[in-house]
């Protein structure tokens, strides 16, 4: 936008963005107004300020002044001490592979799930983020009885449940998914995926980043590759992957609501599509643990326990803290054939369309856990560029949030 001389306002939001990141990394590089918007419900107010000839100048100046303070605070923070990459790798997660028997999935390859029954996803919905869409903050279900926002929370929840019933009965939305499992082994910080048990035909390599901040004693510098058996261990391990959407049909419904000047319903159906997509990811992981991979066949967790991630294994997603580099969705989608089998498309910047979609990996090892990679040093950036067969400027662009 800067290169082409744009001056139109730029609004930034989404789960992997922040006010600090916008102020430090984005706003200084664009002459037009840049505003971080924490959730969709606040976009309307921001747009109103930006469209008003009377309000815009003071509003834009106040945002810029705020970002100057954010950059100053960021610069004054005590820097995170990073260790050399070989030191971080020497402090990898301590997993005893001797005697471990990796669980074998029920099938190798991909399984397609089309037009999945939406009613089966409802029990897996995490309603907490639904209220945040409407700028209502609090833990569900306690928020419904909150002295300050309880009345408003009950109203939008009631309206949401009514529209959810309409979505299911009227088949307003379609849900598709693809799930797959393959033989896999780690090689350093990479995970190799193979076509069959001979492990001679490599289908893909997933490249992961390692925590590089200095750690206290007995606290490892983690990398997702740590949770897959090394190739030189001789163990036959496996990696799972998935892509789900519950957003097919959402855009058309939302546009119809907008055309009827019903912005409330347009936001509502998008919020519900997002909740159903996340519920589909939760439901599919549950089926994976109990059936498709079957390493936790006797699991009996409540919905609340699953939302709290009390299960064995993890499902990290590219673009999120444990694997923050988005381009890994490319080989992930290719391996899953996600566009053909689930109708989910990747944009040039590796965003998913429909937006009500979730994709990621499955790890089954009982020591696998979520973590944040955080800041990395120049040596790891250059190492990652080499492993990805990129030039350094490309790596700098994709790894900017972590450098």
């Amino acid at each position: 936008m800067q290169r082409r001389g744009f001056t139109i306002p730029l609004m930034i939001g989404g789960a992997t963005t922040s006010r600090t990141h916008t102020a430090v990394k984005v706003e200084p590089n664009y002459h037009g107004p840049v505003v971080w918007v924490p959730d969709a419900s606040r976009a309307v107010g921001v747009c109103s300020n930006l469209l008003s000839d009377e309000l815009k100048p003071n509003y834009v100046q106040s945002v810029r002044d705020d970002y100057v303070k954010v950059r100053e605070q960021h610069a004054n923070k005590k820097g995170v001490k990073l260790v050399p990459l070989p030191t971080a790798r020497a402090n990898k997660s301590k997993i005893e592979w001797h005697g471990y028997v990796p669980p074998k999935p029920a099938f190798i390859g991909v399984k397609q799930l089309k037009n999945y029954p939406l009613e089966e996803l409802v029990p897996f919905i995490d309603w907490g983020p639904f209220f945040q869409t409407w700028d209502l903050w609090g833990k569900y279900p306690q928020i419904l009885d909150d002295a300050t926002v309880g009345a408003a929370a009950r109203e939008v929840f009631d309206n949401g449940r009514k529209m959810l019933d309409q979505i299911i009965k009227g088949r307003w939305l379609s849900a598709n998914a693809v799930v797959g499992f393959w033989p896999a082994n780690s090689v350093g910080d990479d995970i190799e995926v193979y076509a069959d048990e001979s492990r001679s035909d490599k289908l893909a390599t997933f490249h992961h980043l390692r925590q590089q901040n200095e750690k206290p004693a007995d606290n490892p510098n983690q990398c997702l590759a740590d949770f897959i058996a090394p190739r030189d261990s001789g163990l036959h391990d496996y990696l799972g992957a998935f892509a789900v959407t519950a957003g097919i049909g959402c855009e058309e419904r939302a546009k119809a609501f907008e055309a009827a000047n019903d912005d409330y319903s347009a936001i509502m159906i998008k919020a519900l599509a997002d909740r159903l997509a996340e519920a589909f990811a939760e439901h599919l992981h549950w089926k994976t643990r109990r059936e498709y991979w079957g390493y936790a066949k006797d699991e009996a967790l409540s919905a609340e326990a699953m939302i709290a991630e009390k299960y064995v294994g993890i499902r990290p997603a590219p673009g999120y803290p444990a694997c923050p580099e988005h381009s890994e969705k490319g080989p992930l989608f290719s391996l899953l054939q996600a566009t053909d089998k689930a109708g989910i498309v990747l944009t040039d910047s590796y965003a998913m369309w429909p937006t009500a979609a979730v994709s990621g990996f499955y790890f089954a090892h009982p020591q696998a856990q979520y973590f944040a990679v955080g800041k990395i040093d120049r040596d790891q950036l250059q190492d990652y560029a080499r492993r990805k067969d990129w030039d350094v400027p490309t790596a700098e662009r994709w790894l900017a949030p972590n450098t």
Side-chain angles (χ1 to χ4, degrees):
M1 292 171 70
Q2 179 72 12
R3 186 175 65 251
R4 296 189 178 191
F6 284 21
T7 58
I8 61 172
L10 171 62
M11 296 165 62
I12 298 174
T16 58
T17 68
S18 71
R19 175 168 162 262
T20 301
H21 181 261
T22 302
V24 174
K25 295 285 189 177
V26 183
E27 199 263 351
N29 295 298
Y30 182 53
H31 289 164
V34 178
V35 184
W36 178 66
V37 187
D39 59 67
S41 65
R42 298 192 184 187
V44 176
V46 173
C47 284
S48 296
N49 284 322
L50 293 172
L51 289 170
S52 169
D53 292 336
E54 180 181 348
L55 298 175
K56 180 178 177 180
N58 287 337
Y59 177 72
V60 170
Q61 189 60 49
S62 68
V63 171
R64 284 177 171 159
D65 290 345
D66 177 59
Y67 288 170
V68 169
K69 294 177 183 176
V70 172
R71 285 194 290 273
E72 290 175 351
Q73 292 169 354
H74 180 76
N76 291 332
K77 280 185 177 179
K78 184 179 179 180
V80 176
K81 185 175 181 180
L82 303 178
V83 299
L85 183 57
T87 302
R89 284 175 170 164
N91 190 41
K92 66 188 296 185
S93 304
K94 296 174 177 60
I95 295 178
E96 180 53 66
W97 294 108
H98 180 72
Y100 175 70
V101 180
K104 186 174 181 179
F107 61 90
I108 298 298
V110 299
K111 181 179 182 67
Q112 181 185 38
L113 303 169
K114 292 204 72 175
N115 297 315
Y116 204 82
L118 295 178
E119 56 269 24
E120 292 194 25
L121 308 182
V122 174
F124 293 84
I125 291 178
D126 176 6
W127 285 103
F130 170 80
F131 295 100
Q132 296 168 19
T133 301
W134 306 101
D135 205 16
L136 299 170
W137 300 87
K139 188 175 181 180
Y140 174 80
Q142 291 89 336
I143 191 173
L144 301 176
D145 297 315
D146 185 88
T148 303
V149 301
R154 289 192 297 273
E155 181 180 0
V156 297
F157 186 56
D158 183 54
N159 291 337
R161 291 303 298 252
K162 287 178 180 176
M163 182 178 281
L164 183 59
D165 288 341
Q166 291 177 297
I167 289 171
I168 294 171
K169 292 175 182 176
R171 298 183 179 180
W172 288 4
L173 302 177
S174 297
N176 294 340
V178 59
V179 56
F181 305 95
W182 298 269
N185 285 111
S186 63
V187 179
D189 292 347
D190 294 338
I191 298 174
E192 294 183 347
V193 173
Y194 312 107
D196 53 42
E197 290 291 7
S198 72
R199 300 175 185 251
S200 57
D201 181 11
K202 186 168 65 175
L203 295 178
T205 300
F206 292 103
H207 309 281
H208 294 291
L209 293 166
R210 182 172 297 280
Q211 292 175 321
Q212 211 169 345
N213 55 304
E214 188 175 50
K215 296 293 192 91
D218 298 322
N219 194 344
N221 293 86
Q222 298 180 100
C223 173
L224 286 176
D226 293 350
F227 307 129
I228 298 291
R231 187 171 62 185
D232 59 13
S233 71
L235 293 177
H236 284 195
D237 211 343
Y238 302 87
L239 180 72
F242 71 96
V244 305
T245 180
I248 297 173
C250 180
E251 195 65 25
E252 294 77 7
R253 285 281 174 179
K255 286 181 179 178
F257 283 129
E258 290 167 354
N261 296 316
D262 188 358
D263 290 344
Y264 178 81
S265 294
I267 294 174
M268 180 66 78
I269 194 168
K270 290 178 181 179
L272 291 171
D274 284 341
R275 291 300 87 218
L276 285 168
E278 293 287 351
F280 201 175
E282 194 72 76
H283 175 77
L284 191 58
H285 197 190
W286 173 76
K287 286 185 72 72
T288 290
R289 296 190 301 271
R290 291 168 53 94
E291 180 183 340
Y292 296 152
W293 205 333
Y295 62 82
K297 294 179 180 178
D298 299 326
E299 178 185 288
L301 297 175
S302 65
E304 292 77 14
M306 279 188 277
I307 290 171
E309 300 166 354
K310 300 296 185 183
Y311 44 74
V312 175
I314 57 174
R315 61 168 193 275
Y320 281 76
C323 44
E325 200 274 288
H326 283 273
S327 77
E328 289 297 287
K329 283 200 286 278
L332 176 70
F333 267 55
S334 178
L335 197 62
L336 287 167
Q337 304 167 59
T339 299
D340 291 339
K341 293 189 178 296
I344 310 171
V345 177
L346 283 180
T347 69
D348 290 342
S349 58
Y350 295 99
M352 292 177 287
W353 185 264
T355 55
V358 184
S359 64
F361 304 102
Y362 290 138
F363 290 78
H365 195 280
Q367 287 181 239
Q369 59 182 282
Y370 296 107
F371 61 90
V373 167
K375 294 296 181 182
I376 65 170
D377 215 342
R378 189 76 180 175
D379 58 351
Q380 184 162 194
L381 183 145
Q382 293 171 338
D383 179 84
Y384 192 77
R386 178 187 57 77
R387 289 189 282 137
K388 293 274 287 190
D389 196 24
W390 283 349
D391 57 29
V392 170
T394 300
E396 289 173 335
R397 185 168 70 251
W398 283 105
L399 296 176
N402 296 88
T403 58

